[in-house]
Amino acid sequence: MPPVEVLSYRLSHRGKPVGSQTIKTADLGRHAQLEGRTQFQGPLGTHTVVQRSRCHARGVSLRFREETQERNDTRRFDVTFDPRQGLVTAVKGPKDNASVPYLLPYRDPLSLLHEIRQLGAIEGPVRVPLLGKEVTVQLAGEVDLDTALGPRRARAYVLHPGQSVVYVDVEAPHAILKLTQRLPDGLVEALLVKVATEAALEPFGEPEEGRGKSRSGGKRRGQRRRPRRRKRT
């Protein structure tokens, strides 16, 4: 199994540090598993947001979970995308869940970023369906960035609505070098400061056909082979 890519970012608001962000990507062949951890401090409050996603290799979501930890309060939001049953199911608690028809190949916030990394030099706008809205991704051009990894050439993609900008390294593996998000009182900027790897991510949102299989032969645990009968002489 290939190693997990770990991208670490420094967050700033109006030129002042406001936290950190880490995005992890595991390439699983047909699927990808993503994990984002954002820790805020200072003027944007003190809290941690952990997002996990499983998606098709190109970005279409299979499952997404977001957990917000603030002081003694933890809020969770879990979404399952099931095109076979034609449903998208969202769960906030044991008695707080709802389902809507699966009408489009939806993305989640992490799988959207994963897809943008693969767009390349697109000529026109790309429309991406998120739950509740549609996002348009437009290539604004290429820019030179000074990063902790040295000078880099990046493609700048503008997201509508919101005017967020995602700067993607022109060179493979096309890491996101910088992100800017517009807030009412200024921009929040995430700047890449470190690239690393780790062994693996905890499994998340595995498809039904992949559950319960062993690494060696695909048998479920506890399943025994029947002994062969001896031929009578």
Side-chain angles (χ1 to χ4, degrees):
M1 181 177 293
V4 177
E5 176 195 66
V6 183
L7 304 179
S8 300
Y9 299 85
R10 180 179 65 247
L11 302 181
S12 62
H13 179 246
R14 292 185 173 181
K16 297 181 179 180
V18 292
S20 62
Q21 184 177 44
T22 302
I23 299 177
K24 301 180 181 182
T25 302
D27 182 358
L28 306 177
R30 291 187 306 155
H31 299 150
Q33 185 176 323
L34 314 168
E35 181 177 299
R37 177 179 293 269
T38 307
Q39 295 178 298
F40 293 100
Q41 60 187 20
L44 299 182
T46 303
H47 59 282
T48 301
V49 179
V50 179
Q51 297 176 323
R52 303 180 74 189
S53 170
R54 190 180 185 93
C55 63
H56 290 288
R58 293 294 299 177
V60 178
S61 298
L62 295 169
R63 189 176 176 192
F64 175 73
R65 177 186 295 166
E66 180 175 285
E67 182 176 282
T68 302
Q69 303 166 355
E70 187 172 7
R71 295 183 181 179
N72 297 325
D73 181 38
T74 300
R75 301 185 300 275
R76 296 181 179 88
F77 181 64
D78 199 325
V79 186
T80 301
F81 304 84
D82 192 340
R84 290 179 297 179
Q85 295 188 7
L87 289 175
V88 179
T89 303
V91 178
K92 289 187 177 180
K95 298 181 180 180
D96 188 359
N97 61 79
S99 296
V100 297
Y102 185 105
L103 300 176
L104 296 167
Y106 295 108
R107 278 70 158 175
D108 59 71
L110 285 178
S111 71
L112 171 62
L113 294 177
H114 184 66
E115 182 172 359
I116 290 174
R117 293 180 61 175
Q118 306 174 65
L119 288 180
I122 56 175
E123 295 183 358
V126 174
R127 292 177 171 81
V128 182
L130 298 178
L131 276 181
K133 65 178 180 179
E134 182 182 77
V135 173
T136 300
V137 182
Q138 179 77 53
L139 177 61
E142 295 187 3
V143 296
D144 292 316
L145 295 178
D146 290 325
T147 74
L149 309 177
R152 289 288 191 273
R153 185 73 173 174
R155 295 188 179 101
Y157 299 94
V158 182
L159 278 57
H160 304 277
Q163 302 292 314
S164 296
V165 185
V166 182
Y167 298 85
V168 178
D169 195 341
V170 169
E171 299 295 330
H174 310 297
I176 295 175
L177 302 173
K178 180 180 174 182
L179 301 95
T180 61
Q181 183 177 358
R182 194 176 301 276
L183 297 181
D185 58 345
L187 293 176
V188 175
E189 183 177 278
L191 186 64
L192 182 66
V193 294
K194 183 180 178 182
V195 177
T197 58
E198 62 182 41
L201 287 177
E202 179 183 351
F204 173 74
E206 291 182 291
E208 290 292 338
E209 62 269 19
R211 294 177 184 171
K213 293 183 179 180
S214 67
R215 294 181 180 178
S216 57
K219 295 285 185 179
R220 292 183 179 273
R221 292 182 179 179
Q223 184 176 351
R224 298 179 180 177
R225 294 182 178 179
R226 294 181 180 180
R228 294 181 179 180
R229 294 182 180 179
R230 296 182 179 179
K231 294 183 179 181
R232 296 181 179 179
T233 57

